[in-house]
Amino acid sequence: AQKVTQAQTEISVVEKEDVTLDCVYETRDTTYYLFWYKQPPSGELVFLIRRNSFDEQNEISGRYSWNFQKSTSSFNFTITASQVVDSAVYFCALSTNTGNQFYFGTGTSLTVIP
Amino acid sequence: DSGVTQTPKHLITATGQRVTLRCSPRSGDLSVYWYQQSLDQGLQFLIQYYNGEERAKGNILERFSAQQFPDLHSELNLSSLELGDSALYFCASSPDGHQQETQYFGPGTRLLVL
């Protein structure tokens, strides 16, 4: 069975602090893809990143970075020097060879306090 | 802007009624997905279409149906509406509907059943 767990329901940080959002996934497939999406208060889902199971290289995009570790089945997301505009709900998702759907975590609501 | 459009943005209706939600995928994308986001269930995959044919089915109720037309736009029909159907309904699209592809989401239709 496929499953994504985002144990952190809500996180609050003060502006300019770093914050890490955790994502743990479960799958028996050897080929799979992991995604992060951002849902700001306006409601739309914005794609942030995609990683495949064969590429464990960490990725950095501006203030955003992602740490993928197969050994712990985790795909964590770090925001450096957080800003108020980062306030949103962040979803981690998993896609595998079993079915053609995304399995979403329950999301982490991040509030950045000015 | 993801390039996926959804109409209407908001919909208020009464229990027992039927509504139709419409989605146009990104230019060039052949696959469309429907998701339901509610407070208690989170983001749930409903159904996927590829080039007019149903490809995958998730947690879609029998009261709900969908189709994808030759021009690739899709409609989600919700009938015999219940209070619990109140949710944000997202459409997403991808080029070929494969599990490794990023799904780009529309802005959603917010349905309120009174």
Side-chain angles (χ1 to χ4, degrees), chain B residues 39-59:
Chain B
L39 284 175
D40 55 342
Q41 297 284 339
L43 265 165
Q44 297 275 317
F45 167 72
L46 296 178
I47 198 164
Q48 178 201 5
Y49 279 83
Y50 171 75
N51 206 20
E53 299 290 325
E54 181 184 306
R55 177 171 274 189
K57 219 168 186 177
N59 301 320

Side-chain angles (χ1 to χ4, degrees), chain B residues 16-77:
Chain B
Q17 295 298 305
R18 172 189 168 96
V19 297
T20 297
L21 312 183
R22 184 188 167 104
C23 166
S24 291
R26 294 187 318 159
S27 177
D29 285 358
L30 298 179
S31 191
V32 168
Y33 309 76
W34 285 98
Y35 290 84
Q36 179 194 59
Q37 184 180 30
S38 61
L39 284 175
D40 55 342
Q41 297 284 339
L43 265 165
Q44 297 275 317
F45 167 72
L46 296 178
I47 198 164
Q48 178 201 5
Y49 279 83
Y50 171 75
N51 206 20
E53 299 290 325
E54 181 184 306
R55 177 171 274 189
K57 219 168 186 177
N59 301 320
I60 189 166
L61 299 173
E62 285 192 12
R63 300 184 285 108
F64 296 0
S65 64
Q67 56 183 328
Q68 186 180 26
F69 295 86
D71 67 352
L72 301 177
H73 91 272
S74 178
E75 292 181 358
L76 178 67
N77 299 297

Side-chain angles (χ1 to χ4, degrees), chain A residues 37 39 50 95 97 100, chain B residues 37 48 90 99-100 103:
Chain A
Y37 285 84
Q39 187 175 36
R50 181 189 72 169
S95 177
N97 284 327
N100 281 319
Chain B
Q37 184 180 30
Q48 178 201 5
F90 284 107
Q99 54 103 7
Q100 69 267 26
Q103 294 180 22

